[in-house]
Amino acid sequence: MYFEKKESLKLDFTKKPKKQKQDLTPFQEEDLNRLIEMAWQDRTTFDTIFELYGLTENQVKKKMRTLMKRSSFKMWRKRVQGKATKHKNKVSHKVIKFQGPW
């Protein structure tokens, strides 16, 4: 009565399938270089990157992690983490479109 085994309470301890890494082939090398450049620039918001490449902030972080050395990624994250200019809602100036350094 109290010690009856129920079939529905069996636990499955098998390993979960690993998530496949996101393939970078949809982007050409020029696009990846441009993405890294835009992510490093303070004035370019993640919203602008989303408009151009369709990548959210988290997807940009994942791509940067795969494309850069570990130390460079850590340096970039430390730099970007506190920046209000990387988010359109927090920017005091109006961002119309991306304008490069040229």
Side-chain angles (χ1 to χ4, degrees):
M1 181 155 117
Y2 292 106
F3 300 106
E4 291 179 11
K5 292 182 181 177
K6 294 185 179 179
E7 294 290 326
S8 62
L9 294 178
K10 287 186 178 178
L11 301 175
D12 185 19
F13 293 106
T14 58
K15 289 186 177 180
K16 293 180 183 178
K18 288 186 177 181
K19 292 181 182 178
Q20 292 182 356
K21 291 188 177 180
Q22 195 175 23
D23 192 17
L24 298 175
T25 53
F27 294 101
Q28 295 177 354
E29 186 176 352
E30 296 167 355
D31 294 331
L32 293 174
N33 290 337
R34 186 75 180 123
L35 178 68
I36 291 171
E37 181 183 344
M38 290 176 73
W40 268 99
Q41 291 176 343
D42 292 333
R43 295 282 177 185
T44 307
T45 63
F46 285 116
D47 298 324
T48 306
I49 294 173
F50 179 75
E51 291 171 7
L52 290 175
Y53 293 103
L55 297 173
T56 62
E57 181 179 351
N58 288 335
Q59 290 173 330
V60 171
K61 289 176 189 174
K62 287 179 184 177
K63 285 231 186 276
M64 293 291 277
R65 183 177 283 125
T66 58
L67 293 171
M68 297 168 55
K69 294 187 301 185
R70 183 181 176 117
S71 60
S72 299
F73 176 75
K74 283 185 175 183
M75 190 172 20
W76 174 75
R77 283 295 297 139
K78 187 175 181 181
R79 178 183 171 138
V80 169
Q81 202 158 5
K83 295 284 183 188
T85 55
K86 292 303 278 184
H87 299 280
K88 200 179 262 187
N89 296 339
K90 297 180 182 178
V91 176
S92 61
H93 66 282
K94 186 174 183 180
V95 178
I96 299 171
K97 68 175 191 171
F98 170 73
Q99 294 184 3
W102 50 93

